[in-house]
Amino acid sequence: MLIHQIERIRRSKLIDELVVATSCEESDDQLEHCLKQAGCKVYRGDLSDVLSRFCGAAQQLPEASTIVRLTGDCPLTDWNVLDAAIAYFKANSFDYVSNADPATWPDGLDVEVMTRSALFDAGKHAKLKSDREHVTSYIRNNKQHYRIGTLLNDEDLSALRWTVDEPEDFAFVTKVYDRLYSSNPNFATKEILDLIAVEPDLIQNSHLKRNEGYLKSLANDRNAP
């Protein structure tokens, strides 16, 4: 699934270098091996402190002034959306841009673009466990300190769920690939929308909540001693 996502990310015209930031846990050894076979750079860091892991990956690329964050559970990532977010970020001199606050794109097309300095500032100052786990929440929650922008879609498609967290998500993505990939490996958002317009029964995951993991982290923050 991740290899499919990397294949799609590599179609971007504006991303120069791709690094997968995974954990140091033994359970990720096989993942590292698979990624290196695919010619992808890998950085390994703390399992829970994903912000420190992300900063560590960025430190391996000292020339990178702009950092793009994607999560590895989005095999329907659209390189056109990536490039649109990066172009919007560059054109407006933002510190941080996302297409998910407010969300108008399908869950699973999320992209975040930030300056190197904003990322490392968050790494230095973020204290809450939720901010350490979710990388950019510190930036989003401190809008007074950062120049923040949002890439909005022309149509609100935020009710669609194209990420993979649950078995129902995986079943949906599998069906999309089964129907589209063999005839057109370059299928993008339009082709997926056209498919579900013809086969709406493919969607069996609409009952799942968006950002459920982050909401659980916030609850844990409130319950922490």
Side-chain angles (χ1 to χ4, degrees):
M1 190 175 72
L2 185 56
I3 296 301
H4 275 306
Q5 181 173 349
I6 290 169
E7 176 186 8
R8 297 171 71 81
I9 295 168
R10 284 173 168 165
R11 297 191 183 107
S12 166
K13 297 178 181 177
L14 298 180
I15 292 178
D16 301 312
E17 194 83 46
L18 177 62
V19 180
V20 176
T22 190
S23 83
C24 290
E25 299 296 303
E26 184 180 348
S27 57
D28 282 326
D29 289 351
Q30 186 176 357
L31 175 62
E32 180 183 24
H33 176 72
C34 177
L35 291 166
K36 288 185 174 179
Q37 281 191 321
C40 189
K41 290 184 177 181
V42 180
Y43 176 84
R44 302 184 68 168
D46 190 275
L47 175 65
S48 301
D49 189 346
V50 189
L51 177 53
S52 72
R53 190 199 315 167
F54 209 78
C55 289
Q59 287 175 336
Q60 307 303 304
L61 301 170
E63 73 283 1
S65 59
T66 300
I67 309 295
V68 179
R69 178 185 179 228
L70 303 163
T71 55
D73 54 3
C74 299
L76 298 179
T77 291
D78 189 328
W79 58 96
N80 301 297
V81 180
L82 304 186
D83 284 354
I86 296 168
Y88 181 60
F89 171 87
K90 292 287 191 179
N92 293 278
S93 300
F94 289 115
D95 297 311
Y96 171 88
V97 160
S98 81
N99 65 343
D101 187 20
T104 57
W105 301 82
D107 189 3
L109 296 191
D110 297 2
V111 54
E112 299 173 284
V113 189
M114 68 207 80
T115 62
R116 183 183 188 87
S117 59
L119 172 64
F120 282 100
D121 188 63
K124 179 179 179 181
H125 293 104
K127 303 301 181 186
L128 293 174
K129 286 186 177 180
S130 60
D131 288 338
R132 305 303 304 186
E133 179 182 357
H134 294 278
V135 182
T136 57
S137 58
Y138 179 86
I139 297 174
R140 296 194 307 274
N141 292 331
N142 288 276
K143 292 181 171 62
Q144 71 276 19
H145 296 311
Y146 305 100
R147 180 171 165 78
I148 294 176
T150 301
L151 179 71
L152 298 173
N153 194 17
D154 294 335
E155 177 184 1
D156 185 358
L157 301 175
S158 59
L160 297 174
R161 183 179 171 89
W162 296 356
T163 189
V164 177
D165 289 322
E166 302 293 342
E168 298 96 323
D169 299 326
F170 185 74
F172 169 72
V173 168
T174 299
K175 291 173 184 176
V176 170
Y177 268 87
D178 285 346
R179 284 158 174 76
L180 297 179
Y181 187 79
S182 60
S183 60
N184 178 19
N186 294 324
F187 73 88
T189 299
K190 180 183 183 304
E191 287 74 24
I192 303 171
L193 293 173
D194 290 345
L195 173 64
I196 61 178
V198 175
E199 296 188 61
D201 290 344
L202 291 177
I203 300 175
Q204 301 291 329
N205 60 353
S206 57
H207 63 287
L208 298 171
K209 293 182 180 179
R210 189 175 188 129
N211 296 328
E212 188 171 10
Y214 179 54
L215 295 176
K216 288 180 179 178
S217 293
L218 291 177
N220 290 336
D221 283 345
R222 291 192 293 269
N223 295 328

